[in-house]
Amino acid sequence: MKNGVMAFRDTYQMFLDMWKLYRKYANSSLAGKECRDAIDAAEQLRKKYNSIFANEILTAVMCELSRIAKNKS
């Protein structure tokens, strides 16, 4: 990362990783162990990308997963 800006290839990989997180948990109830696993996966991505942009996208993904889980219950 140069000057806090992610390279194009890194940005692509970040989007791909965020998509995989969303895809994995979008159809789950996010109860119990699944919830903890989703939080752990999100934390790993936060540490991996460590940027404001990545954190904002990750927050949006987690909020959407939460909304989906609430609508299922």
Side-chain angles (χ1 to χ4, degrees):
M1 208 175 345
K2 183 178 178 182
N3 296 328
V5 177
M6 292 172 54
F8 190 75
R9 183 177 206 118
D10 294 334
T11 303
Y12 171 78
Q13 186 61 52
M14 179 201 63
F15 276 114
L16 187 60
D17 287 344
M18 300 291 179
W19 163 246
K20 289 176 183 177
L21 175 70
Y22 176 83
R23 183 183 63 191
K24 183 173 182 176
Y25 293 104
N27 287 323
S28 69
S29 63
L30 288 181
K33 183 170 176 357
E34 281 184 327
C35 184
R36 185 75 241 159
D37 290 346
I39 292 169
D40 290 344
E43 180 63 16
Q44 288 175 359
L45 291 178
R46 186 191 66 75
K47 288 178 182 176
K48 178 179 180 179
Y49 292 105
N50 192 29
S51 74
I52 293 169
F53 183 46
N55 288 343
E56 288 175 350
I57 293 172
L58 186 56
T59 298
V61 168
M62 294 305 285
C63 286
E64 180 64 9
L65 291 175
S66 176
R67 187 190 65 76
I68 291 169
K70 287 177 185 175
N71 285 337
K72 285 183 179 181
S73 58

